[in-house]
Amino acid sequence: MTPTLGKDLLGLEPLSGEQLRLILDTAEPFKEVSERAIKKVPTLRGKTIVNLFFESSTRTRISFEFAEKRLSADTVNIAGSGSSVQKGETLVDTARNLEAMRIDMVVMRHPSSGAARFLAERIRSNVVNAGDGTHEHPTQGLLDLLTIRDRLGRIEGAKVCICGDILHSRVARSNIWGLLKLGAHVAVCGPQSLLPRGIEELGVTVFRRIEDAIAWADVLNVLRLQLERMNAGFIPSLREYYRVFGVTVERLERAPRDLVILHPGPMNRGVEIDSRVADGPHSVILHQVTNGVAVRMAVLYLLAGGRPELAEAAKSGREGGE
Amino acid sequence: MRPMLLVGGRVIDPSRGFDEPADVLLVDGMIAAVGRGFGRPDEVELLDVAGLVVAPGLVDVHTHLREPGQEDRETIATGAMAAAAGGFTAICAMPNTDPPIDNQSAVGFVVKQGAAAAGARVYPIGAISLGQRGEQLAEFGELVGAGAVAVSDDGHPVASGHMMRTALEYARTFGIPVADHCEEPTLAARGVMHEGVVATRLGLKGIPAAAEEIMVARDILLARHTGGHVHLCHMSTRGSVELIRRAKEQGSRVTAEACPHHFSLTHEACAGYNTNAKMNPPLREPEDVEAIRRGLKDGTIDCIATDHAPHHYDAKEREFDDAPFGIVGLETALGLGVTTLVDGGVLTLSELLDRMSTVPARVFGLPGGSLAPGQPADIVVFDPAAQWTVDPGRFRSKSRNTPFAGWELRGRVLRTIVGGRLMYQAA
Amino acid sequence: MSAPVRTSLLDAQAIGRALHRMALEIVALAGGTERLVLVGIQRRGVELAERIGVLLRREHGADVQHGALDITLYRDDLNEIGPRPVIGETRLPHELDGKVIVIVDDVLFTGRTIRAALDQIADFGRPARIGLAVLIDRGGRELPIQADIVGERVPARPGDRVDVLLAEVDGRDAVELVRGSAA
């Protein structure tokens, strides 16, 4: 039996390797759709999708919008700012309002970890997590997986090191779960002040020096260093960060093999990554962006089709009482 | 008031090491006799308690009754009723209300509301600092004069070492404990759960164990330095238990409490962003739970307190980051004690009652905690074997925020008597 | 429900004969092989188009252009059937303008698949003409769509199923009617 995704995509942690492969395999034909002269298929015609962004995001929102439009869905963008508290309306009220408008899907980005799950438990529409706090960013994880698979031909056995601010990174968490479930070896590298406690217990190796990570890895996924981390006292300065942890041409030249370099963007050139690396032959950063649309189309497509019976199941579960 | 005779129960009085079948006679709101074969006064009201445990009423030195200021969550009246339903005959109300209980008239208000309530006795705890802001010492003399039994800035830690030192020194005049919420504020800042692998998985900001332990260590050192009595609230980590054990060996005047949730649950309860498992101090790791249990057994942790913290139903119905800390605890404390600690083989029933009644009364200098003749007739009657299901819809408390909904607990309170009057009777 | 009854409609030889005749008719329809593009519908349509291509090469010496369509994304019934997770390849010649496309499929039933295929081809270009060749026409149309070339007409009832089995996919060639099976 082919696996399904269920009602929502909240993270990669709850997915099986089989479900992850289903999404990646489904993304393949969608890559081709984006290469057509008419980059649009009628698959989700008549479906309404709300892009609910409580946090500003240009590239993720645009990538989702492209994916939705190429599947012919009707989309509405709602931009909120800050947390629900600042906004005045609680998330539960937002959820009830969306439900009342009979929308089919919600793509949500929110500054609080767990917000996507909170919403998903309260509405029948499909919910796609476009990033919740420092928890998960599953579609970014999926596009990274797809890019690694494109480049290496496989994920199983690949050595992937995620570099930088792991503590505050939802991209890191989604990558860790996705890679582990598909059989990759996963490591993280960064100053310990930016590594979450107990990260080893998830099954990842910790490198304290970027040189060691480069010597070990097939793939580096270089995370964006949020500039506000410096002000919060996690690192002394951006200059020092670049000196100690920056992914530079000089460091890559000493690597025993050619590395594949990923970055979720937007990049801080000269902080976590050298411009020559970002623009160089190892970089697959633009490939990631292209794959982002395909992966999101696959997710929307799979969730849309999985909807009726799963929504029923969710409903009967909920009617069991709080 | 008619005299009352409780006939045929198993009487456990940890204050005297008494645990045997006996009758208990209550006259004029006092314990008149415990034993067998004493004469029965005329018109005595007989209460058949065969097969049940009769014990000194439970004493909770740490509750939040929300009045004044947040009466939608709880009032002194509903809190006192919830307490009686949980087997408590005396509870201490923390001063972090709105406005805080930082002056004698505010203490007087709590005393007055408590006296009017039909439930457990209510003892106010005064604030350490004015407005609980940690800047200027409150007038302990006037607070105590109006009825305060301790001081605390609970809800907030006492961040300043100087403030804590002064409070401990000044409190010696009045012989009251200074109860501290141990939390180093810069380490705990914006944290919402225990810093560990579960927080890492959920992407939530952690509160490290060290944030508590640093303040426990500080308070111990200041207690030794000042000779004052520090009471450490809601201990949650194995490191804290270690520090307290050593401090007691060295003779410092340190007492400590632990909450039922900290000996019953781990941080795994937060999985799925369960806001009813969000509390401060947070639920910790299995090793911490084990240490708290051992600490209760060997007396390192003196007593059990609920940290009853009612919240309006929709306050917890939100993102984990934005939900408030705390759970209600008065109506589940005895059941959790019996189920987790007694049935779990950690404490004997007598030891559990010691930690929930005799010791907390002694630590805070309250009447009760004993069935010795001449003590107030504050009594709980419960069935230690009866099983019941936690149904928040049936709580007497105004609030329902508990992570224990649906739990099967043993130890069911059947009657609570305060000052010789029946204040609670199970349906 | 009684057990479904399976009866054979065409054997391997009959399928071969039908394809042979269809190939001739396709050449006639396209006015030769020069502008002809055979487009099979995933999945057995692709195999049938492939076989017709082999016949054309053998008998006309012509290498005709081939394409494949997976119409999953163009279906109008996603809600009812749930997603078909494995989407087959869609591959069409770069330039469709001026071509004569002959869509090849195994069974023509409601016409919805062909409707979707027409929509999809329109998103790729503007052929001079589009024809339709099916091995089996079982009737039961829900849309005004008819085949230009039919291998065999089979009167099937709404609850029946027509299975086209091909050696490349199923290990043997056969067309079978399964009567009374739930649709």
Side-chain angles (χ1 to χ4, degrees):
Chain A
M1 218 192 99
T2 41
T4 55
L5 277 197
K7 183 172 92 66
D8 312 297
L9 179 70
L10 304 180
L12 300 191
E13 185 184 3
L15 297 189
S16 66
E18 209 184 9
Q19 287 172 311
L20 289 168
R21 275 185 289 272
L22 167 69
I23 301 171
L24 298 184
D25 291 347
T26 306
E28 291 295 340
F30 285 114
K31 286 183 188 169
E32 180 263 324
V33 171
S34 293
E35 301 300 327
R36 295 180 187 171
I38 296 178
K39 298 174 181 52
K40 193 168 173 124
V41 289
T43 317
L44 297 187
R45 199 166 49 198
K47 300 265 184 201
T48 328
I49 304 182
V50 172
N51 297 314
L52 187 57
F53 277 64
F54 289 101
E55 233 180 35
S56 64
S57 151
T58 308
R59 64 183 59 208
T60 302
R61 191 178 50 76
I62 288 178
S63 180
F64 266 109
E65 252 190 281
F66 271 130
E68 291 154 3
K69 288 187 166 28
R70 285 178 190 177
L71 290 169
S72 304
D74 296 317
T75 66
V76 176
N77 293 323
I78 303 175
S81 63
S83 75
S84 55
V85 174
Q86 290 161 315
K87 213 174 129 246
E89 185 181 71
T90 63
L91 190 52
V92 69
D93 286 336
T94 305
R96 288 180 185 140
N97 277 294
L98 290 173
E99 186 83 291
M101 286 186 272
R102 305 286 183 263
I103 50 147
D104 297 292
M105 291 193 188
V106 182
V107 174
M108 184 170 76
R109 163 156 302 184
H110 196 283
S112 291
S113 299
R117 178 181 170 133
F118 181 94
L119 185 69
E121 285 171 349
R122 283 160 184 78
I123 62 175
R124 284 185 207 174
S125 323
N126 308 104
V127 174
V128 180
N129 182 4
D132 62 328
T134 54
H135 175 227
E136 284 221 46
H137 188 355
T139 55
Q140 177 73 43
L142 288 163
L143 74 90
D144 289 344
L145 293 173
L146 188 63
T147 308
I148 292 169
R149 193 172 80 169
D150 286 351
R151 217 15 108 93
L152 301 183
R154 70 193 156 86
I155 290 172
E156 196 176 350
K159 293 179 182 169
V160 182
C161 184
I162 305 159
C163 308
D165 180 2
I166 314 294
L167 181 63
H168 301 98
S169 176
R170 50 194 173 213
V171 176
R173 284 169 179 77
S174 287
N175 262 273
I176 288 169
W177 294 118
L179 288 163
L180 288 174
K181 282 162 195 281
L182 292 179
H185 303 291
V186 185
V188 295
C189 175
Q192 191 169 328
S193 52
L194 292 175
L195 299 182
R197 200 167 180 82
I199 186 82
E200 303 88 343
E201 292 174 50
L202 304 186
V204 307
T205 309
V206 173
F207 289 112
R208 291 202 158 65
R209 302 205 69 98
I210 191 73
E211 293 83 357
D212 297 341
I214 288 172
W216 172 84
D218 301 317
V219 178
L220 292 187
N221 196 343
V222 185
L223 301 177
R224 170 182 169 77
L225 186 79
Q226 305 279 348
L227 302 183
E228 48 281 19
R229 302 300 170 225
M230 187 180 66
N231 301 328
F234 288 97
I235 52 162
S237 72
L238 299 181
R239 197 172 57 123
E240 165 137 324
Y241 186 86
Y242 181 65
R243 284 243 176 103
V244 181
F245 290 99
V247 176
T248 62
V249 171
E250 292 72 23
R251 287 186 169 125
L252 288 181
E253 276 169 355
R254 284 195 288 274
R257 61 187 81 82
D258 270 351
L259 267 67
V260 178
I261 308 288
L262 285 80
H263 190 296
M267 285 182 281
N268 295 308
R269 290 167 182 265
V271 179
E272 70 269 359
I273 193 164
D274 187 334
S275 277
R276 289 172 297 160
V277 173
D279 302 329
H282 303 304
S283 164
V284 291
I285 295 169
L286 295 175
H287 190 152
Q288 286 174 272
V289 176
T290 309
N291 278 349
V293 178
V295 145
R296 290 178 176 116
M297 288 173 82
V299 166
L300 295 170
Y301 165 71
L302 289 169
L303 290 179
R307 193 164 146 268
E309 72 275 27
L310 287 152
E312 275 313 302
K315 188 178 87 184
S316 58
R318 196 158 33 232
E319 280 168 0
E322 286 280 289
Chain B
M1 193 188 304
R2 280 172 68 191
M4 194 186 287
L5 184 64
L6 288 76
V7 185
R10 171 186 170 192
V11 175
I12 302 180
D13 180 3
S15 75
R16 296 184 296 156
F18 186 96
D19 181 356
E20 52 192 81
D23 300 340
V24 178
L25 178 65
L26 313 178
V27 178
D28 293 335
M30 310 295 264
I31 311 273
V34 177
R36 277 279 159 85
F38 39 75
R40 294 179 182 183
D42 296 339
E43 293 183 13
V44 71
E45 185 183 344
L46 287 179
L47 215 59
D48 179 7
V49 291
L52 306 177
V53 168
V54 177
L58 308 180
V59 175
D60 188 353
V61 298
H62 193 144
T63 68
H64 298 272
L65 300 185
R66 306 303 189 201
E67 187 182 351
Q70 295 158 331
E71 291 84 354
D72 59 327
R73 307 179 186 180
E74 196 81 286
T75 63
I76 291 172
T78 58
M81 270 193 311
F88 290 92
T89 54
I91 56 176
C92 298
M94 280 293 177
N96 61 332
T97 49
D98 182 17
I101 309 302
D102 63 356
N103 62 76
Q104 61 179 349
S105 59
V107 172
F109 171 77
V110 176
V111 170
K112 178 173 137 283
Q113 295 295 80
R121 301 172 197 269
V122 177
Y123 296 103
I125 296 175
I128 291 173
S129 61
L130 287 180
Q132 295 194 305
R133 283 191 296 271
E135 291 160 8
Q136 191 183 341
L137 214 56
E139 295 154 329
F140 291 4
E142 294 194 355
L143 298 176
V144 171
V149 297
V151 288
S152 177
D153 273 355
D154 185 68
H156 315 277
V158 179
S160 153
H162 172 71
M163 172 61 71
M164 190 65 190
R165 173 203 171 144
T166 314
L168 283 166
E169 288 173 334
Y170 190 58
R172 291 199 68 178
T173 301
F174 312 100
I176 53 167
V178 177
D180 193 22
H181 168 120
C182 296
E183 179 184 323
E184 205 286 319
T186 65
L187 284 174
R190 294 192 316 283
V192 294
M193 69 172 291
H194 173 64
E195 181 180 309
V197 68
V198 180
T200 293
R201 241 165 46 210
L202 295 174
L204 292 172
K205 172 93 169 70
I207 301 173
E212 175 174 307
E213 291 154 6
I214 284 169
M215 292 308 239
V216 167
R218 181 200 70 173
D219 287 354
I220 286 169
L221 294 171
L222 289 175
R224 190 192 304 166
H225 184 70
T226 62
H229 173 188
V230 68
H231 178 76
L232 303 171
C233 296
H234 41 54
M235 290 291 94
S236 70
T237 79
R238 51 193 187 270
S240 295
V241 177
E242 259 330 291
L243 288 164
I244 298 163
R245 188 172 284 128
R246 214 177 317 148
K248 287 190 165 181
E249 284 163 10
Q250 293 168 349
S252 300
R253 290 184 69 194
V254 178
T255 55
E257 68 189 33
C259 304
H261 42 273
H262 287 126
F263 62 65
S264 302
L265 293 172
T266 70
H267 57 161
E268 290 288 352
C270 298
Y273 302 95
N274 178 8
T275 53
N276 277 325
K278 179 177 175 180
M279 39 206 119
N280 191 9
L283 298 171
R284 306 280 187 185
E285 297 174 14
E287 293 81 359
D288 298 303
V289 171
E290 190 48 43
I292 296 293
R293 291 178 183 178
R294 275 202 312 275
L296 279 165
K297 176 73 178 178
D298 70 14
T300 303
I301 305 288
D302 299 83
C303 60
I304 293 167
T306 64
D307 195 8
H308 178 78
H311 289 291
H312 200 244
Y313 76 93
D314 58 5
K316 288 279 193 179
E317 178 73 2
R318 60 192 338 160
E319 303 89 303
F320 201 91
D321 280 338
D322 296 337
F325 291 106
I327 63 167
V328 292
L330 286 167
E331 291 167 81
T332 48
L334 181 65
L336 287 166
V338 170
T339 308
T340 315
L341 300 178
V342 179
D343 290 356
V346 179
L347 300 181
T348 64
L349 196 51
S350 177
E351 284 169 336
L352 176 70
L353 293 165
D354 183 53
R355 311 307 189 250
M356 293 188 79
S357 174
T358 304
V359 177
R362 189 168 63 224
V363 167
F364 273 49
L366 308 176
S370 168
L371 296 180
Q375 286 286 328
D378 290 2
I379 287 175
V380 59
V381 177
F382 67 98
D383 182 344
Q387 189 156 319
W388 59 287
T389 306
V390 178
D391 175 4
R394 302 174 69 116
F395 284 169
R396 263 68 170 180
S397 168
K398 272 193 165 185
S399 291
R400 309 272 176 266
N401 48 306
T402 175
F404 299 111
W407 277 41
E408 297 282 331
L409 296 180
R410 272 152 59 91
R412 181 158 179 261
V413 177
L414 297 173
R415 285 190 171 81
T416 305
I417 297 164
V418 180
R421 280 178 221 278
L422 191 62
M423 285 298 182
Y424 171 77
Q425 180 162 9
Chain C
M1 188 171 66
S2 58
V5 183
R6 198 173 260 277
T7 45
S8 175
L9 299 175
L10 301 181
D11 60 11
Q13 279 183 331
I15 290 174
R17 282 196 301 273
L19 287 175
H20 200 264
R21 186 167 46 74
M22 287 168 71
L24 293 175
E25 290 180 30
I26 285 171
V27 174
L29 182 141
T33 55
E34 203 173 315
R35 296 189 301 161
L36 175 61
V37 180
L38 289 173
V39 175
I41 292 182
Q42 296 280 10
R43 100 153 266 237
R44 286 172 187 77
V46 176
E47 305 298 346
L48 292 174
E50 207 57 54
R51 289 198 194 181
I52 291 170
V54 171
L55 290 172
L56 293 180
R57 190 176 313 122
R58 198 189 301 151
E59 295 176 19
H60 297 264
D63 265 333
V64 296
Q65 283 188 292
H66 277 267
L69 277 187
D70 188 305
I71 55 93
T72 307
L73 301 176
Y74 285 75
R75 292 181 74 119
D76 57 8
D77 55 358
L78 187 63
N79 273 344
E80 282 123 68
I81 59 161
R84 299 207 304 181
V86 184
I87 302 171
E89 184 188 24
T90 288
R91 152 177 56 80
L92 288 175
H94 196 63
E95 191 54 68
L96 291 184
D97 294 15
K99 302 282 190 199
V100 175
I101 288 184
V102 174
I103 299 171
V104 181
D105 203 1
D106 51 357
V107 180
L108 178 60
F109 182 17
T110 63
R112 289 183 188 274
T113 299
I114 302 306
R115 195 277 309 156
L118 291 171
D119 284 355
Q120 188 167 9
I121 290 169
D123 282 349
F124 281 83
R126 189 177 179 285
R129 177 168 182 194
I130 302 177
L132 173 61
V134 298
L135 181 61
I136 305 292
D137 179 351
R138 57 162 292 180
R141 222 73 79 235
E142 293 171 4
L143 296 175
I145 283 173
Q146 302 302 336
D148 301 290
I149 296 158
V150 176
E152 186 79 26
R153 283 178 210 281
V154 174
R157 296 198 294 238
D160 298 343
R161 206 176 71 218
V162 178
D163 286 351
V164 173
L165 308 174
L166 296 177
E168 298 91 321
V169 185
D170 310 291
R172 66 191 172 100
D173 278 4
V175 177
E176 294 173 353
L177 178 73
V178 187
R179 183 133 275 173
S181 70

